[in-house]
Amino acid sequence: MRLALQAARIGIWEWDIATGAMDYSARAREICGFPPGGEISIDDVRKVTHPEDLPRTSDMARRALDPVIREKPVFEYRILKAGTGELRWVRAHGEAIFGMDDAGLPAAMRYVGMIWDITDRKGLEYSLEEAQLAQRLAIDAAHMAVWELDIRRDALTTSPELNRLFGFAEDEMPSVEQFRQCYLPGEREKVRQAAMSALELGQSQFEVEFCIQRRDKAARWLLLRAEISKDTDGNYDRVVGVVMDIDDRKQSEEQREILLRELNHRVKNSLSVVLAIASQTFRNALPMNDALDVFRGRVQALAAANDAIVKNDWTGFSIGGLVEQIAAPYRQRDFDPFVLSGEDIALRPTMNVPLALVLHELCTNAAKYGALSVPDGTVAIRWTANDHLLNLTWQEVDGPPAAEGAAGFGTRLLRDLLTREFEAFSLEIQPAGAVCEMTIRM
């Protein structure tokens, strides 16, 4: 026993209950910092016990010495070594020996046990706990779910976070097949192919993005990272990995791709519109200064249309805002010739340029020949929405009689170039001015 205790670096102690004297072996003295010689009392032992742990160890000792309870507890507590005050962790285990007291009642006579230093083990435990905490925090922060698949049994060990990602209740125990039913068509094959491709390259780890349909029917993009392991016979036996939600990132990527395609289309379309405007403007028999003014106004309308969509982050534009923007140059401080009515409705981005140019051409014509060319003339712009269609009407009131040639104001630009974007379009020059009606799909 002595050799075994020396090899394990375990100390022996014995407490005489009646006298309070403690008999400590050399190793026990070394652990607690007591000198090699001299007497040790129970009070000395209590002094080296950490003040925060002393109430707990005292209560455990009391229960061990109680002849009715007779517990045999294992103590793990901190000490402050005698002489140095160094903090150490110790583990002690003992058993009380009972006899009869003077009154003939059972009582604890001695308490005998062992003590050993477990500071290094406690340090490893703390390190492991800290690592586990850091890992758990990282997993929670990244919205990751940890899982393990037993290949032989086709059994999946899940976590509450995995259930949440797939739309199951946290306390639910879904089967592997229930998880697989959430894969959208072709996605399970994609995951399997990623694993097989890694194995063919001699790699045990693989990564793949795939899309599922949660139990609530919502589609979500997930990222899977996993490692395939072998048993002692070299056969693949399990897969361990994590899954994280990347739906926001995928949505952003798709939105960027859409915007890039839209931008590419819009640049090409804008150049085509500018060329058409230039052709329509400069081939008419207008003095150069007048032609430049017309051209400049039309290009400014094009710029205003682009401003309207950029302000809405390329997701659509407000028809009310666009109308206000185009009409602003023709309003006067003491008189507003425009009567606007309609809800502020958002239209699809592709409609902003055609509609802005149509409104600009109508304003230009009205300022030259129609209701905006006389002091009391007004223009009513009304729009209503019905069954995903927007009906917009431009009607001039109290304008001068239609002048000869007024029907040629940008008519080709309106009818031949722009109106292909509209569901319906009509333009008439009536005695009081122009009446234009158009239908736009929202």
Side-chain angles (χ1 to χ4, degrees), residues 154-324:
D154 199 26
L156 186 67
T157 301
T158 65
S159 63
E161 181 61 31
L162 186 67
N163 283 7
R164 286 194 293 271
L165 287 178
F166 279 76
F168 296 100
E170 290 188 19
D171 57 352
E172 197 171 347
M173 299 290 290
S175 65
V176 178
E177 191 56 37
Q178 285 178 295
F179 278 104
R180 288 170 178 159
Q181 290 173 359
C182 295
Y183 283 77
L184 288 175
E187 296 299 281
R188 182 182 172 189
E189 291 74 14
K190 182 198 298 184
V191 174
R192 181 177 177 82
Q193 183 58 45
M196 297 304 296
S197 298
L199 294 178
E200 290 173 0
L201 295 174
Q203 301 171 353
S204 61
Q205 297 179 345
F206 68 96
E207 177 180 309
V208 62
E209 297 176 358
F210 62 99
C211 193
I212 64 167
Q213 185 178 58
R214 289 164 40 95
R215 295 290 293 276
D216 57 9
K217 304 303 180 183
R220 303 293 294 183
W221 277 96
L222 304 178
L223 170 65
L224 180 147
R225 290 175 179 158
E227 182 170 0
I228 310 170
S229 61
K230 296 180 180 180
D231 59 16
T232 55
D233 297 327
N235 299 314
Y236 295 111
D237 63 340
R238 66 180 187 140
V239 187
V240 179
V242 295
V243 173
M244 66 185 75
D245 189 328
I246 59 168
D247 197 70
D248 290 343
R249 193 200 79 194
K250 293 293 288 187
Q251 295 290 350
S252 297
E253 291 175 356
E254 291 177 1
Q255 183 68 11
R256 281 199 302 271
E257 292 177 4
I258 292 172
L259 292 180
L260 287 174
R261 290 197 298 268
E262 174 66 19
L263 179 61
N264 182 52
H265 169 74
R266 187 161 297 281
V267 169
K268 292 179 180 179
N269 188 55
S270 296
L271 291 175
S272 299
V273 171
V274 170
L275 290 174
I277 290 174
S279 176
Q280 294 283 2
T281 303
F282 291 107
R283 77 183 182 187
N284 292 326
L286 291 175
M288 181 55 67
N289 288 339
D290 292 343
L292 285 174
D293 287 340
V294 172
F295 180 72
R296 186 180 297 110
R298 290 172 177 174
V299 172
Q300 286 175 345
L302 183 65
N306 280 310
D307 285 343
I309 190 172
V310 170
K311 288 178 181 178
N312 279 351
D313 198 24
W314 292 77
T315 58
F317 69 99
S318 161
I319 183 172
L322 184 64
V323 171
E324 293 278 356

Side-chain angles (χ1 to χ4, degrees), residues 310-378:
V310 170
K311 288 178 181 178
N312 279 351
D313 198 24
W314 292 77
T315 58
F317 69 99
S318 161
I319 183 172
L322 184 64
V323 171
E324 293 278 356
Q325 204 167 7
I326 300 300
Y330 304 94
R331 285 174 160 164
Q332 304 170 23
R333 180 174 299 177
D334 56 349
F335 176 66
D336 185 0
F338 288 95
V339 179
L340 310 181
S341 63
E343 297 181 4
D344 202 10
I345 300 169
L347 298 181
R348 69 181 192 272
T350 55
M351 288 307 304
N352 69 327
V353 170
L355 184 57
L357 289 174
V358 167
L359 292 174
H360 173 72
E361 290 298 337
L362 291 171
C363 286
T364 301
N365 179 72
K368 285 185 176 181
Y369 312 109
L372 298 181
S373 66
V374 294
D376 298 328
T378 60

Side-chain angles (χ1 to χ4, degrees), residues 269 273 276-277 280 348 350-359 361-362 390 392 409-428 435-441:
N269 188 55
V273 171
I277 290 174
Q280 294 283 2
R348 69 181 192 272
T350 55
M351 288 307 304
N352 69 327
V353 170
L355 184 57
L357 289 174
V358 167
L359 292 174
E361 290 298 337
L362 291 171
L390 178 79
L392 186 145
F409 76 104
T411 303
R412 291 188 301 274
L413 182 67
L414 293 175
R415 289 176 175 161
D416 300 338
L417 175 65
L418 301 173
T419 56
R420 70 189 69 173
E421 299 288 348
F422 296 87
E423 295 292 315
F425 183 89
S426 66
L427 173 64
E428 296 181 10
V435 177
C436 182
E437 295 183 349
M438 61 197 84
T439 301
I440 305 168
R441 184 167 297 279

Side-chain angles (χ1 to χ4, degrees), residues 57-233:
T57 57
S58 297
D59 184 64
M60 294 170 70
R62 180 188 61 78
R63 295 174 65 84
L65 300 177
D66 189 317
V68 177
I69 303 175
R70 301 193 183 199
E71 282 188 354
K72 299 177 182 179
V74 176
F75 301 80
E76 284 194 3
Y77 61 99
R78 292 166 293 176
I79 63 170
L80 299 172
K81 292 185 69 169
T84 64
E86 180 186 359
L87 178 66
R88 306 293 291 180
W89 274 93
V90 297
R91 181 182 177 93
H93 182 264
E95 182 174 342
I97 300 174
F98 293 90
M100 296 293 180
D101 62 12
D102 295 339
L105 299 175
M109 301 295 158
R110 292 181 299 148
Y111 197 14
V112 182
M114 302 176 293
I115 184 172
W116 59 98
D117 192 316
I118 60 170
T119 304
D120 292 342
R121 195 203 77 193
K122 279 291 185 180
L124 291 175
E125 289 178 358
Y126 278 130
S127 298
L128 180 60
E129 288 175 0
E130 290 177 357
Q132 290 175 339
L133 175 61
Q135 183 184 54
R136 186 165 61 254
L137 291 175
I139 288 173
D140 291 343
H143 302 289
M144 291 191 298
V146 181
W147 54 272
E148 179 178 338
L149 175 66
D150 186 320
I151 297 177
R152 289 194 182 93
R153 298 188 298 112
D154 199 26
L156 186 67
T157 301
T158 65
S159 63
E161 181 61 31
L162 186 67
N163 283 7
R164 286 194 293 271
L165 287 178
F166 279 76
F168 296 100
E170 290 188 19
D171 57 352
E172 197 171 347
M173 299 290 290
S175 65
V176 178
E177 191 56 37
Q178 285 178 295
F179 278 104
R180 288 170 178 159
Q181 290 173 359
C182 295
Y183 283 77
L184 288 175
E187 296 299 281
R188 182 182 172 189
E189 291 74 14
K190 182 198 298 184
V191 174
R192 181 177 177 82
Q193 183 58 45
M196 297 304 296
S197 298
L199 294 178
E200 290 173 0
L201 295 174
Q203 301 171 353
S204 61
Q205 297 179 345
F206 68 96
E207 177 180 309
V208 62
E209 297 176 358
F210 62 99
C211 193
I212 64 167
Q213 185 178 58
R214 289 164 40 95
R215 295 290 293 276
D216 57 9
K217 304 303 180 183
R220 303 293 294 183
W221 277 96
L222 304 178
L223 170 65
L224 180 147
R225 290 175 179 158
E227 182 170 0
I228 310 170
S229 61
K230 296 180 180 180
D231 59 16
T232 55
D233 297 327

